[in-house]
Amino acid sequence: MELPAVCLGPFGCNLLFCVRPHNYSHKKYSRNGIAFKYIDGPKYIESGKEHSSTSVRGTIYCSNQQEKNVGLPSDHIPVSAKVVYAAAPAMSHNQESHPECNSRVTAILTALEKMKLTSKAMDQASEKGLIFIDGSGPTYATATTFQESLLAAGAGISLVDSVVAASKVSKDPPVAFALIRPPGHHAIPKGAMGFCVFGNIAIAARYAQRMHGLKRVFIIDFDVHHGNGTNDAFYEDPDIFFLSTHQAGSYPGTGKIDQIGCGRGEGSTLNLPLPGGSGDTAMRTVFDEVIVPCAQRFKPDIILVSAGYDAHLLDPLASFQFTTGTYYMLASKIKQLAKDLCGGRCVFFLEGGYNLSSLSNSVVESFRAFLGERSLAAELDDPSYLHEEPLNKVKQLIEKVKHIHSF
């Protein structure tokens, strides 16, 4: 089933909408000299001035409207949109053989194209110089890293704009996904760390509060590594709840179970370090018994997700054993959680994931979950690679974190 999408903008930070199969219209507007496009369904919030032609996908409408407001305004949000995402691949921020390389987002977009979930939107760029950032473990920079990192952070806040605008006119706004790099959850106020340059999700969280009045932000981080940068940014903030599941003892060595925030923010940080070998059953149990009750008690206005795909069985930088199906489950359940608690406002941010095959397949599964399509994970996962999970230890940790946080 083809679920088309069109890139919004020619400048490396491309916004795309995926919508239900139907007679689609192709709309365009410009902002700050940049042309934007998206595919819409047959219903419009506001039609504007358009001309039309035909294509194999139905009627194409091109709007000549000029938009002066920041972000995607409500009159440009398609009623039938199911997913909106931004791709900022940072093609020149690259070092050959480094796990956080410029093939990551490209692999995801290629997989989405292969599954007919979008159209191609990437051009290659040349590498221009390389330095390593001291003490950042190990993080590199090229001549374009600063600008491309700005695009990554900007893509995230643009998606917040889009989701908030859509939620004002629809009870079922699209889920947003920032397919961006460099990743962000290790970046600290002092600077870059752990492949991360700017704290993309932290920036978006504060932006959601200050620009949209969304006071209570719930952040879920299911990357295999602890999101120490996000953790530290909001450690004393009672209005941003940071919840991280990660592999105990892995980089960067932070995220102990007793790190729960301090001052007015005490209790608004939850860290759950899980033992190596944790997999599908562990994560499903953690979601139902920890993440859901925490979110329900916190009552967020928006949910942001540090979506790391490096807990996959095939990922080279950790020793969890999530299958592709786990990422379908997480995407589906988080989407429903947002719908139940905060009007469907939810934005995912790409973090880790360094096996290109498992990364791209798992992101595709996330998109299928957003779109309500059935999972194809059974065709991708090989159960012969799995071994017994340390479920007794996982259960003990869940009980301990419940005691610490009183739920």
Side-chain angles (χ1 to χ4, degrees):
M1 181 179 293
E2 188 165 5
L3 298 159
V6 172
C7 75
L8 302 185
F11 58 106
C13 178
N14 306 301
L15 296 178
L16 303 94
F17 285 88
C18 290
V19 299
R20 294 189 186 97
H22 214 294
N23 292 322
Y24 298 103
S25 63
H26 178 171
K27 302 185 73 178
K28 177 177 70 176
Y29 71 98
S30 63
R31 185 176 75 237
N32 298 328
I34 300 170
F36 289 81
K37 300 178 182 179
Y38 60 79
I39 287 182
D40 197 0
K43 292 177 63 181
Y44 301 101
I45 296 165
E46 181 176 322
S47 59
K49 298 179 180 179
E50 301 162 339
H51 65 272
S52 64
S53 61
T54 58
S55 75
V56 294
R57 290 178 176 173
T59 305
I60 297 177
Y61 294 89
C62 295
S63 170
N64 295 318
Q65 293 176 339
Q66 297 291 318
E67 181 54 54
K68 297 180 180 179
N69 295 329
V70 175
L72 286 173
S74 60
D75 62 351
H76 287 112
I77 301 298
V79 172
S80 57
K82 302 299 293 181
V83 182
V84 54
Y85 64 98
M91 297 303 292
S92 296
H93 175 75
N94 186 55
Q95 183 204 6
E96 296 301 325
S97 78
H98 195 287
E100 208 296 289
C101 64
N102 66 1
S103 300
R104 296 178 64 232
V105 172
T106 304
I108 292 168
L109 294 172
T110 299
L112 288 171
E113 173 68 16
K114 182 178 180 181
M115 296 303 296
K116 298 183 179 180
L117 294 176
T118 184
S119 57
K120 291 182 179 178
M122 281 294 106
D123 292 321
Q124 296 291 325
S126 61
E127 181 177 322
K128 297 179 180 179
L130 182 71
I131 63 169
F132 277 92
I133 302 170
D134 290 341
S136 65
T139 308
Y140 63 88
T142 70
T144 63
T145 292
F146 179 75
Q147 184 63 32
E148 290 179 315
S149 298
L150 287 177
L151 284 175
I157 64 175
S158 292
L159 290 179
V160 171
D161 287 335
S162 300
V163 167
V164 172
S167 71
K168 293 178 179 178
V169 295
S170 172
K171 294 181 179 180
D172 188 21
V175 179
F177 203 131
L179 294 174
I180 56 177
R181 55 178 296 274
H185 72 155
H186 293 311
I188 56 176
K190 292 181 181 178
M193 181 177 177
F195 308 167
C196 302
V197 178
F198 295 147
N200 302 316
I201 200 168
I203 292 167
R206 196 62 88 203
Y207 179 86
Q209 289 181 317
R210 295 182 178 177
M211 297 302 293
H212 292 291
L214 302 177
K215 181 180 179 182
R216 299 176 70 78
V217 182
F218 192 78
I219 300 176
I220 302 169
D221 188 332
F222 57 70
D223 191 281
V224 78
H225 304 106
H226 179 239
N228 60 297
T230 315
N231 180 104
D232 295 352
F234 306 119
Y235 205 60
E236 300 181 28
D237 191 331
D239 294 323
I240 296 185
F241 195 107
F242 175 69
L243 190 156
S244 175
T245 59
H246 46 274
Q247 183 178 331
S250 64
Y251 180 89
T254 53
K256 308 300 183 186
I257 200 169
D258 58 356
Q259 294 177 333
I260 63 170
C262 67
R264 294 180 62 243
E266 184 174 345
S268 62
T269 297
L270 188 153
N271 285 299
L272 185 52
L274 298 170
S278 295
D280 296 354
T281 302
M283 193 63 219
R284 184 178 294 274
T285 304
V286 166
F287 194 92
D288 293 340
E289 297 191 18
V290 177
I291 296 176
V292 169
C294 282
Q296 289 173 336
R297 183 170 66 178
F298 185 69
K299 297 180 175 62
D301 297 311
I302 189 171
I303 295 176
L304 305 181
V305 184
S306 273
Y309 292 85
D310 45 3
H312 195 281
L313 172 68
L314 300 180
D315 198 275
L317 298 190
S319 58
F320 270 7
Q321 50 176 344
F322 290 9
T323 66
T324 313
T326 292
Y327 294 109
Y328 181 95
M329 178 274 294
L330 285 168
S332 179
K333 285 180 174 284
I334 292 172
K335 177 185 177 181
Q336 185 61 49
L337 194 63
K339 185 175 181 180
D340 292 342
L341 300 179
C342 54
R345 290 185 290 270
C346 183
V347 184
F348 279 59
F349 293 74
L350 182 65
E351 299 287 1
Y354 306 102
N355 177 297
L356 297 182
S357 176
S358 63
L359 169 64
S360 54
N361 286 337
S362 297
V363 174
V364 166
E365 280 296 288
S366 298
F367 273 66
R368 296 189 69 83
F370 298 150
L371 293 162
E373 298 291 312
R374 71 178 183 87
S375 173
L376 300 180
E379 302 172 19
L380 302 169
D381 295 326
D382 184 350
S384 67
Y385 285 101
L386 300 173
H387 54 84
E388 187 177 359
E389 295 184 48
L391 295 179
N392 287 336
K393 179 63 173 176
V394 170
K395 183 178 180 179
Q396 292 171 8
L397 290 165
I398 290 174
E399 293 305 313
K400 185 175 181 179
V401 83
K402 284 182 177 181
H403 175 74
I404 292 173
H405 288 269
S406 302
F407 66 88

